Amino acid sequence: MISRLLSCLIVVLAFLPAACATRVGAGGQHETYFSPRYLAKTEVDRVIDSSRAEIVAGMRRIAEKLYKRNPREWKRAGLASREAALNRLFSGSLDFPELGGRREGAAALHAFSPDYPGDRVLAVMSGLLGMVYAAFEHNDDFYVLDDLNEQKLYNCARNIEIAVWKMSSTRLGNGDPMLLSNELDPGNPNTSFEREFGRVIGLLELLSKVVADKHGRSITRLTQNLATAVFLPVSALGV
């Protein structure tokens, strides 16, 4: 018991300087104050916090772009507006009745089923969001004793690549894309989806390397043919 208390005390003392922040006082002078929130946060934890926030914000921008290019999807869900569809998607819960309990890869794959009558943007983005949330262990605030799995982050990045390919290649019976994303017409190009997805994938890959290096572990890098690729497990992996 005493040794555990000593260990905790050492951790607290080690991070005490990081728990001090500086602010400008009323007279313009700099003041140092104690912030308990940063007591057990390392620089890596702050990087993870910021990266997760940016990844989720990027996913919302992608969903908004998809709804702009595919307004029929939120209308199929019986919603009043694109904003209502976005708010529903990012409400915190990913339990949508039309997905029949599907999560992560199963939900994203369901979006490309020819017989699916619901909102395809909701299906694919809720599946990807579920993977992102699982890769961050369903946390949005990280501290020194929290941990992530580098393979989950890596698999999540690969799954987003697979979803991007499916969006660009899956067609309806009449030959039209199931979901409009990038516009490759030389006269009117639109590659904003590619840029947003690329930023999210890049952040996930960087974090997977940071976490692997932190623990001295390696990442299992899988090579798949996108035409036959399957979504990789995320939640099913341990920490």
Side-chain angles (χ1 to χ4, degrees), residues 88-96 99 102-103 125-131 133:
R88 184 185 184 217
L89 178 59
F90 288 87
S91 64
S93 172
L94 296 177
D95 291 320
F96 301 111
L99 296 182
R102 294 176 180 85
R103 294 289 193 97
M125 292 306 296
S126 69
L128 296 180
L129 275 174
M131 298 175 199
Y133 295 161

Side-chain angles (χ1 to χ4, degrees), residues 82-221:
R82 180 177 69 242
E83 192 62 30
L86 284 170
N87 289 339
R88 184 185 184 217
L89 178 59
F90 288 87
S91 64
S93 172
L94 296 177
D95 291 320
F96 301 111
E98 58 264 55
L99 296 182
R102 294 176 180 85
R103 294 289 193 97
E104 299 185 30
L109 192 61
H110 196 48
F112 302 101
S113 171
D115 301 325
Y116 176 55
D119 179 345
R120 296 186 190 278
V121 174
L122 174 85
V124 69
M125 292 306 296
S126 69
L128 296 180
L129 275 174
M131 298 175 199
V132 168
Y133 295 161
F136 285 94
E137 303 300 336
H138 302 279
N139 289 331
D140 58 8
D141 203 10
F142 294 87
Y143 295 89
V144 66
L145 297 181
D146 294 326
D147 208 355
L148 294 179
N149 181 310
E150 64 280 355
Q151 196 66 48
K152 287 186 178 184
L153 294 161
Y154 176 84
N155 285 7
C156 188
R158 299 288 72 76
N159 288 345
I160 291 175
E161 285 182 339
I162 293 168
V164 171
W165 183 86
K166 288 186 177 296
M167 278 186 229
S168 64
S169 63
T170 309
R171 306 277 167 172
L172 296 168
N174 62 4
D176 291 339
M178 276 192 175
L179 286 173
L180 291 171
S181 54
N182 283 328
E183 178 56 68
L184 302 180
D185 181 358
N188 185 31
N190 177 0
T191 58
S192 60
F193 287 92
E194 183 177 319
R195 291 195 299 271
E196 286 292 349
F197 274 121
R199 289 177 69 250
V200 169
I201 292 168
L203 282 169
L204 286 166
E205 288 181 336
L206 176 62
L207 283 181
S208 70
K209 187 176 188 311
V210 168
V211 173
D213 289 348
K214 175 184 174 183
H215 297 290
R217 299 191 294 238
S218 60
I219 299 168
T220 301
R221 301 180 184 277

Side-chain angles (χ1 to χ4, degrees), residues 33-44:
Y33 68 98
F34 180 76
S35 177
R37 182 173 182 272
Y38 294 106
L39 183 61
K41 268 190 185 293
T42 66
E43 292 300 322
V44 171

Side-chain angles (χ1 to χ4, degrees), residues 22-31 33:
T22 301
R23 64 185 170 198
V24 179
Q29 72 278 14
H30 289 272
E31 301 173 347
Y33 68 98

